[in-house]
Amino acid sequence: MKKFWNFIQNEDTSETELLFNGPISEDTWWGDEVTPALFRDELAKVSGNLTVWLNSPGGDVFAASQIYSMLKNHKGKVTVKIDGIAASAASVVAMAGDETLIAPTALMMIHDPSTCAMGNKADMEKAIILLDEVKESIINAYETKSHLSRNKIAKLMSDETWLNAKKAHEMGFVDGILFADNKKSIPENGDEPDKKEPDEEKTEKEDSLTAMTYSKSKNLSAFLSKVSASAEFVTGTPIDQLEKRLALLKY
């Protein structure tokens, strides 16, 4: 059975590191998916501080919830380091870190939960209620870490938002950026840069945050509005084909 994690001993620090790679699943339906029960057994053997190197596209939200709870319950300090991607359910696991860091080149993605349902109208309505409650439970983890408002988080999820390292840090989803150089550049004349008024700084910060966010729905609309006037676009690739291609960005 192939696991998506591996506990190793760091020779330099003598602390345990957890290499977390692959999709998360509650059941062993596929060769690269394993149960949280096995994860629990291996985690129980670890004492002291734990570093989690996280690179996962997500998976089963309930399995991720269990892993989140197990990491939060660990007696030592848990440091999560996102070195590739923490998307969907994996972003919930990232919230379990007492300290969560992200590589400059890594990404985080949050979106609304999804499911498959069949049956009559009442069955569909029950599925919608379930999805609403699952979303609220996920927001709980994001809110605890980021301290953003629930409405803000809910909107980010509905927009299927991709966050680069700077945006994830600015919004509080992570506590810092790996390998970051905190030294500030100093002007050649040695003088401090002119201080900006609070409102001006706030406006620039909001603009920079917007620039660092990728929302599939917003970017698709902006892109289509720019190219819709092009004769080449009108006579070339149909909009429905373009949407299908952009949909491949979703795991």
Side-chain angles (χ1 to χ4, degrees):
M1 178 185 298
K2 181 182 177 182
K3 299 182 300 182
F4 62 76
W5 72 77
N6 183 32
F7 285 94
I8 64 172
Q9 198 75 20
N10 188 307
E11 296 181 356
D12 295 328
T13 63
S14 298
E15 293 185 359
T16 302
E17 294 188 352
L18 168 60
L19 308 183
F20 195 133
N21 290 280
I24 304 168
S25 177
E26 186 176 17
D27 298 299
T28 53
W29 291 338
W30 307 102
D32 59 348
E33 297 174 338
V34 292
T35 65
L38 181 57
F39 181 87
R40 181 188 294 109
D41 292 340
E42 297 192 13
L43 180 61
K45 300 176 183 178
V46 177
S47 60
N49 298 336
L50 175 66
T51 297
V52 181
W53 290 93
L54 179 61
N55 178 39
S56 173
D60 188 289
V61 67
F62 300 115
S65 175
Q66 286 184 289
I67 294 173
Y68 169 90
S69 298
M70 285 183 272
L71 291 175
K72 293 292 288 183
N73 192 54
H74 184 66
K75 300 304 180 183
K77 178 183 177 181
V78 174
T79 302
V80 176
K81 297 182 178 181
I82 305 169
D83 58 348
I85 183 172
S88 191
S91 66
V92 175
V93 175
M95 300 300 101
D98 296 310
E99 182 180 25
T100 301
L101 306 172
I102 186 171
T105 54
L107 290 169
M108 178 179 289
M109 187 273 277
I110 64 176
H111 65 169
D112 283 345
S114 61
T115 188
C116 294
M118 61 183 297
N120 56 30
K121 178 181 178 182
D123 295 322
M124 298 299 104
E125 291 173 344
K126 289 179 180 178
I128 293 174
I129 293 173
L130 173 61
L131 288 174
D132 287 340
E133 290 303 316
V134 169
K135 180 172 181 175
E136 290 299 317
S137 71
I138 295 172
I139 291 176
N140 289 339
Y142 295 148
E143 181 185 29
T144 300
K145 186 68 168 179
S146 70
H147 303 294
L148 293 174
S149 70
R150 298 184 70 86
N151 287 339
K152 174 66 174 178
I153 296 171
K155 182 64 167 57
L156 291 171
M157 293 174 67
S158 295
D159 286 343
E160 187 183 301
T161 303
W162 290 80
L163 308 172
N164 69 40
K166 289 184 178 180
K167 183 60 185 292
H169 186 210
E170 289 282 353
M171 300 194 75
F173 288 104
V174 299
D175 302 300
I177 300 176
L178 289 168
F179 326 119
D181 184 356
N182 294 323
K183 295 180 180 179
K184 295 182 179 180
S185 59
I186 301 176
E188 293 182 1
N189 58 12
D191 297 331
E192 291 292 332
D194 295 335
K195 293 185 178 180
K196 298 181 176 62
E197 295 299 323
D199 290 342
E200 185 179 355
E201 289 182 346
K202 181 179 180 181
T203 300
E204 288 189 0
K205 181 178 181 181
E206 290 177 348
D207 289 343
S208 66
L209 291 182
T210 302
M212 288 186 288
T213 305
Y214 173 83
S215 168
K216 179 182 175 182
S217 59
K218 291 181 180 179
N219 281 268
L220 176 59
S221 298
F223 180 68
L224 292 179
S225 65
K226 291 179 180 179
V227 300
S228 60
S230 170
E232 180 181 355
F233 176 79
V234 174
T235 58
T237 306
I239 293 179
D240 59 343
Q241 292 184 19
L242 178 61
E243 289 178 334
K244 289 179 180 179
R245 292 180 183 178
L246 292 178
L248 294 176
L249 292 171
K250 185 176 181 180
Y251 64 92

